[in-house]
Amino acid sequence: MGAFTQGCYKTPVQPEPQESIMTGEHLKLLVSTIQRLSLVRDLEAIIEIVQRSARKLTGAEGVTFVLKDKDQCFYANEDAIAPLWKGQRFPLEHCVSGWAMINHTHVVIKDIYADPRVPAEAYAPTFVKSLLIVPIRAINPIGAIGNYWASEHECTPEEVELLQALADITSVSIENFYIYEGLEKRVKERTVQLEQLNEELEAFSYSVSHDLQSPLRSITSLIRMVTKNANGKLEDEDLTMLEAANKSAARMSALVEDLLTFSRLDKKQISKTRVDMNTLTADVAREIKNHLNSNAEIVIHPLHDVEADTHLIQQVMFNLLANAVKYSSKVQHPRIEISSEEQDDEIIFTVRDNGVGFDMKYADKLFIAFQRLHNRSEFEGNGIGLSTVSRIVHRHGGKIWAEGKKNEGASFYFSLKNRVD
């Protein structure tokens, strides 16, 4: 427990353990203690539970919970009729608790005044007469539990066994605490890093929005002015170059806008309402056909209603339909079909086209930003659309995947969990 005289540090003979006489009540208390310890993630709560159980198991007048702190014993807490050494530290070599940890075994002292390891002057002001100390964990102990009595008490093998069993249980709980504490620390550190990254992303978005869009608008404006004021003075070749430059600027402006939209997705709050997918999809189909001037046949089968963010799901449908129209534009009779079906607690939506399709060995790249399976010379695009769709679907708790075959079309599927009955 407390300090003892340096120079008397030697290992006395410990009593041989006898056959266990653990009772049913003791086992019930140990099981109850295990159950309570399994629910706590706080060191102070662990100590409090263990101290109370230790007193009940042995009938001691006091219990001290000691933690090993490098080369010192830290008396973390006490459950006793009067406090003794709570909050104090002693060198491992100078206290009996340290002896138990160093020697990896229990200490039984019937009369502290008759044991050469204990200085009488250290215990004179206290009520302690007898001690039982067990290490917390036999291999590389991390602490000790000390029981003490106000009158001479001869510890039984049962009491030693019970307290050591409690100490073994305690070691697991403390190790779990340190594991959880380490995980929580890592989570907090990661959260701080993510917050910093988000701040940097916001700064980048601001820079993109203002520092890139502004000169792009100036470029397109200057091109229009030069073309308008040319009055036939420019050669056809020059006009072709200006038109190409204007298209490049427009393409870059569109890419910037898509990047901004993509970067803001995680910050947008999802507001779920009942969405009529038939009406929404029909509106999207009309908009796409008008915008792309497409002759594609778009067939909308009866669709299930869902609980979702209307604006975000509209963006999902727009991107998937626009993608289907684009990649089927080179076939003679382009056809897109949209359907849905109920599977367990999910609604699976399908957007199927008869376009150029893709090789399934590259399917894992479809939803990664800037990954393209076709050259820009074949099909316009910046590789952001499908990654945006994927992020929106995942934010709704759903999944997205695709199937295709080269020159035989593609099918894109996404699931939404929150359906409307």
Side-chain angles (χ1 to χ4, degrees), residues 188-243:
K188 289 178 181 178
E189 290 174 350
R190 186 63 183 271
T191 301
V192 170
Q193 292 175 354
L194 288 175
E195 288 174 351
Q196 291 174 345
L197 288 174
N198 284 333
E199 290 176 0
E200 292 174 1
L201 182 59
E202 287 183 17
F204 169 75
S205 298
Y206 180 86
S207 175
V208 167
S209 179
H210 293 79
D211 298 342
L212 290 183
Q213 288 286 36
S214 180
L216 283 172
R217 284 191 293 268
S218 297
I219 291 170
T220 55
S221 178
L222 286 170
I223 291 173
R224 284 196 302 270
M225 288 175 59
V226 170
T227 304
K228 182 179 179 181
N229 297 330
N231 294 325
K233 298 177 182 179
L234 293 175
E235 299 291 336
D236 289 344
E237 184 179 350
D238 296 328
L239 289 173
T240 301
M241 291 173 61
L242 286 173
E243 184 179 353

Side-chain angles (χ1 to χ4, degrees), residues 329-342:
S329 61
K330 295 186 178 182
V331 301
Q332 189 172 4
H333 300 291
R335 178 183 171 90
I336 293 96
E337 290 186 69
I338 305 100
S339 61
S340 69
E341 62 176 318
E342 185 176 350

Side-chain angles (χ1 to χ4, degrees), residues 223-357:
I223 291 173
R224 284 196 302 270
M225 288 175 59
V226 170
T227 304
K228 182 179 179 181
N229 297 330
N231 294 325
K233 298 177 182 179
L234 293 175
E235 299 291 336
D236 289 344
E237 184 179 350
D238 296 328
L239 289 173
T240 301
M241 291 173 61
L242 286 173
E243 184 179 353
N246 190 48
K247 287 183 178 179
S248 295
R251 187 164 58 245
M252 186 172 182
S253 180
L255 174 59
V256 169
E257 286 298 329
D258 287 344
L259 280 171
L260 287 172
T261 300
F262 185 71
S263 67
R264 291 169 179 162
L265 276 178
D266 286 339
K267 300 198 69 176
K268 177 175 171 55
Q269 293 293 324
I270 292 181
S271 178
K272 291 185 178 181
T273 58
R274 182 179 182 274
V275 180
D276 181 345
M277 292 298 289
N278 291 287
T279 301
L280 180 145
T281 305
D283 291 342
V284 168
R286 280 193 299 270
E287 182 182 354
I288 287 175
K289 290 197 71 172
N290 292 335
H291 180 70
L292 299 180
N293 193 25
S294 171
N295 65 339
E297 179 186 6
I298 300 179
V299 179
I300 303 174
H301 297 285
L303 302 176
H304 293 77
D305 291 350
V306 294
E307 287 283 343
D309 186 299
T310 303
H311 175 72
L312 292 178
I313 292 303
Q314 185 179 40
Q315 190 170 359
V316 167
M317 275 300 185
F318 184 91
N319 285 6
L320 289 178
L321 284 180
N323 207 57
V325 169
K326 178 172 65 175
Y327 287 107
S328 61
S329 61
K330 295 186 178 182
V331 301
Q332 189 172 4
H333 300 291
R335 178 183 171 90
I336 293 96
E337 290 186 69
I338 305 100
S339 61
S340 69
E341 62 176 318
E342 185 176 350
Q343 290 187 5
D344 299 326
D345 294 330
E346 295 182 325
I347 302 297
I348 310 296
F349 290 88
T350 304
V351 178
R352 179 176 290 108
D353 66 69
N354 62 344
V356 296

Side-chain angles (χ1 to χ4, degrees), residues 152-163:
E152 281 195 12
H153 177 81
E154 186 168 358
C155 291
T156 65
E158 177 191 24
E159 290 171 341
V160 176
E161 183 181 17
L162 286 171
L163 196 60

